[in-house]
Structures are given as structure tokens and as C-alpha cells.
């Protein structure tokens, strides 16, 4: 108590000064119309600026969820678009049975939304880290896509994070791709140069396509379903042996600003992988005999 009294005694003139300033301000702005209007205008500007900052902060906080929702929606729309295209091409008399078949096909895929926490595009062996792991259902060898197309394949998984080998990695496993609506397929490669360009090799010489056609995943692997965007054909070259085409593809995914992705969880991946491994094991046994 004594310390408080000493403090008030020492600085009492400052408290009196502040009190008198407040009284002066109230009298000035309340009884002078000009000063009152200036005060009201200034306070409105300050309050408006505070509201603007609040709005920007809320928009920033909700941006992630909105972008995540858009990523998933684009992925679903691409899948539906591809299946509708297939329905149209393969239409039969019993269209209801075909539709049920396609819906059953779509139900196999359960995308797991994730955010990119680390990424690089300037190295020959680029890697991406996402914030979802084993606890969220992510497993090695699952495909990863974004709203614009293919991203890569999960390589390493911990409880809460996973490392993805993207298309932009010279050591990445080749992704099976096809020219949309033609059925002609090849394998995607990146040579460590332009991060916006990759190449699809082993396209048959008799394949019919044109510059500007879309390249999509073929669905011939246990990693990606068919129809996930890869990019547009920019140029075609002859292979070294002259037996196939090599397509220069402008990638639909912009890896330099990648934020939201989804891991493709396919219920049939484990079954197909086990079957493939069993086939490989049987071949090894036969060769040993």
C-alpha cells in the first residue's frame, strides 16, 4: 500500500495532466461542430480500417478450406467427366446397367485431402512433403493429384506426414498415360529441365492425335485411375529407333505454386498389388527351376 501511495505521489501531476486533457477533448469535440465532424470522420476511417484488416484476416484463415474444397471438387468432376465420356462411347441398350457399373467404379476411389508443407522444382530429384500420413490412411505407392492434374506418387510415410515423388523427379517411376479419347498410351518422363514440360514416350507410330490434345492417365496401373489430367501435347518427335512417337507435353499442374493436393486411396490397390507381387514371385520361382 505504501508503494502505491509513493507511486501516486511521485507521478500525480501526470495523472492530473491526462485527466485534464480528456476533459478538454470532450468539451472541444462535443461543443464545436467543426471539430466534432473531424473527429467523427477520423474515427470512421480508423474503424473502417480495423474492419478491413479483420475481413482480410478472416479471408486468409478460410482460404485454405475453400481451396481444399475446390481441389477435391475438381478431382471429382474430372473423374465424372471421364466416366461420362466413356459412357457415351460405350453406350449400350442397357444404359442403366452401364451407369451402375461406372458409379461402382467411381466409388472405389476415396481422395484424402492434404496440404503441401515442403516443395521444390529446381532440382533433378525434387520431393514434396504433405501433412497427411499413416494415421490419415495414406500408404506408400498411392497416387497424388491436385485440382489441375497429376502430382506424383507417395514414397515414404510416417504417422502424420508423407513424402511424395512428383512428376518433376528424374528418378520417378513412369506413369502410364494415354492420349484422351484414343486409347493410345505411353509412359511419362521428366528430364530435369523445364518444370512445366514432360515427355510421353512409346506412343505407337500408328496412333492418331494432334497438337493440343489432352494427355491423361490411362488407368493401366494400380496407382492412378483413368482420366486424371497430365497436360496438353505441344510437339511430337520420332523416337531414336523410329518405331514410336515421343510427345512433348505442357503439364497441367503448376508445381511452383502447389498448395492443396489429394491422395488417391483406391480400395482395390492392395488387392492388385498383392496379385502383381504374387505373379512376380511365381515367375522368379519358375526361372530358378
Amino acid at each position: 500500500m505504501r508503494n502505491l501511495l509513493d507511486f501516486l505521489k511521485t507521478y500525480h501531476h501526470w495523472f492530473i495532466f491526462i485527466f485534464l486533457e480528456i476533459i478538454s477533448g470532450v468539451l472541444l469535440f462535443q461543443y464545436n461542430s467543426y471539430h466534432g465532424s473531424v473527429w467523427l470522420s477520423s474515427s470512421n476511417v480508423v474503424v473502417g480500417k480495423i474492419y478491413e484488416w479483420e475481413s482480410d484476416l478472416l479471408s486468409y484463415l478460410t482460404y485454405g478450406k475453400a481451396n481444399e474444397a475446390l481441389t477435391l471438387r475438381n478431382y471429382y468432376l474430372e473423374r465424372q467427366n471421364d466416366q461420362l465420356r466413356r459412357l457415351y462411347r460405350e453406350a449400350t441398350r442397357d444404359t442403366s446397367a452401364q451407369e451402375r457399373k461406372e458409379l461402382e467404379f467411381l466409388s472405389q476411389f476415396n481422395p484424402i485431402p492434404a496440404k503441401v508443407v515442403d516443395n521444390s522444382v529446381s532440382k533433378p530429384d525434387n520431393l514434396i512433403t504433405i501433412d497427411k500420413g499413416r494415421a490419415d490412411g495414406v500408404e506408400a505407392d498411392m497416387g497424388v493429384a491436385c485440382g489441375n492434374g497429376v502430382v506424383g506418387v507417395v514414397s515414404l510415410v510416417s504417422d502424420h506426414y508423407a513424402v511424395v515423388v512428383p512428376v518433376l523427379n528424374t528418378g520417378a517411376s513412369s506413369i502410364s498415360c494415354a492420349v484422351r479419347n484414343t486409347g493410345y498410351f505411353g509412359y511419362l518422363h521428366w528430364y530435369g529441365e523445364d518444370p512445366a514440360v514432360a515427355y510421353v514416350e512409346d506412343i505407337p507410330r500408328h496412333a492418331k492425335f494432334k497438337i493440343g490434345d489432352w494427355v491423361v492417365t490411362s488407368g493401366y496401373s494400380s496407382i492412378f485411375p483413368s482420366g486424371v489430367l497430365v497436360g496438353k501435347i505441344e510437339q511430337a518427335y520420332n523416337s531414336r529407333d523410329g518405331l514410336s512417337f515421343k510427345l512433348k507435353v505442357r503439364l497441367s499442374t503448376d508445381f511452383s505454386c502447389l498448395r492443396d493436393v489429394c491422395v488417391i486411396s483406391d480400395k482395390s490397390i492392395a488387392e492388385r498389388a498383392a496379385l502383381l507381387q504374387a505373379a512376380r514371385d511365381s515367375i522368379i520361382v519358375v526361372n530358378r527351376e
Side-chain angles (χ1 to χ4, degrees):
M1 186 65 180
R2 183 179 181 80
N3 291 334
L4 177 62
L5 293 174
D6 290 341
F7 175 78
L8 294 175
K9 183 178 179 181
T10 303
Y11 297 102
H12 70 279
H13 54 281
W14 284 106
F15 290 108
I16 295 173
F17 173 75
I18 292 172
F19 177 74
L20 292 176
E21 283 292 317
I22 293 173
I23 295 297
S24 301
V26 171
L27 294 175
L28 177 65
F29 293 115
Q30 185 172 358
Y31 295 103
N32 292 274
S33 58
Y34 172 74
H35 295 85
S37 63
V38 171
W39 165 256
L40 183 61
S41 176
S42 301
S43 62
N44 284 341
V45 170
V46 173
V47 172
K49 198 65 178 177
I50 292 173
Y51 283 149
E52 181 181 343
W53 290 341
E54 180 184 8
S55 176
D56 290 343
L57 177 62
L58 291 175
S59 297
Y60 176 78
L61 293 176
T62 58
Y63 169 78
K65 292 184 178 179
N67 206 18
E68 179 180 299
L70 285 173
T71 298
L72 289 177
R73 178 137 184 93
N74 283 345
Y75 173 78
Y76 276 121
L77 287 175
E78 283 295 333
R79 303 288 64 66
Q80 292 172 354
N81 188 37
D82 183 65
Q83 299 312 313
L84 287 173
R85 215 180 257 110
R86 184 182 302 178
L87 264 175
Y88 182 77
R89 293 198 310 269
E90 301 175 1
T92 62
R93 295 178 182 178
D94 187 7
T95 56
S96 60
Q98 184 69 19
E99 288 173 2
R100 287 195 300 271
K101 181 179 178 182
E102 299 299 344
L103 288 174
E104 182 180 353
F105 173 80
L106 282 173
S107 68
Q108 297 176 2
F109 305 102
N110 178 33
I112 302 169
K115 292 190 178 299
V116 174
V117 296
D118 186 48
N119 184 19
S120 64
V121 297
S122 59
K123 304 174 182 177
D125 53 351
N126 296 296
L127 295 173
I128 295 173
T129 304
I130 59 175
D131 66 348
K132 290 295 190 297
R134 195 176 295 109
D136 306 289
V138 177
E139 298 177 9
D141 296 327
M142 283 185 171
V144 180
C146 67
N148 294 325
V150 165
V151 173
V153 180
V154 175
S155 176
L156 299 174
V157 184
S158 65
D159 287 341
H160 303 291
Y161 295 93
V163 175
V164 178
V165 177
V167 170
L168 303 185
N169 188 306
T170 55
S173 58
S174 301
I175 297 173
S176 180
C177 303
V179 180
R180 179 185 273 177
N181 297 333
T182 67
Y184 297 112
F185 69 94
Y187 298 93
L188 187 67
H189 294 279
W190 184 67
Y191 297 110
E193 300 168 352
D194 188 346
V197 171
Y199 295 86
V200 177
E201 299 180 346
D202 298 332
I203 296 292
R205 290 287 300 177
H206 60 274
K208 295 181 179 179
F209 58 86
K210 61 182 182 296
I211 303 302
D213 281 351
W214 280 102
V215 174
V216 297
T217 54
S218 65
Y220 292 156
S221 71
S222 60
I223 298 176
F224 289 100
S226 62
V228 181
L229 289 180
V230 175
K232 279 187 175 181
I233 300 174
E234 279 197 343
Q235 200 167 352
Y237 308 91
N238 287 321
S239 63
R240 291 182 179 179
D241 57 13
L243 300 177
S244 61
F245 285 119
K246 176 181 176 181
L247 306 181
K248 180 181 179 182
V249 175
R250 176 69 55 175
L251 296 173
S252 58
T253 299
D254 186 352
F255 287 87
S256 63
C257 61
L258 196 60
R259 295 293 180 272
D260 291 89
V261 298
C262 57
V263 182
I264 304 170
S265 175
D266 182 355
K267 299 174 185 177
S268 64
I269 282 180
E271 181 181 350
R272 282 184 284 176
L275 183 62
L276 182 59
Q277 186 60 47
R280 288 171 178 168
D281 293 342
S282 63
I283 291 173
I284 292 173
V285 171
V286 170
N287 289 337
R288 285 178 179 175
E289 294 177 351

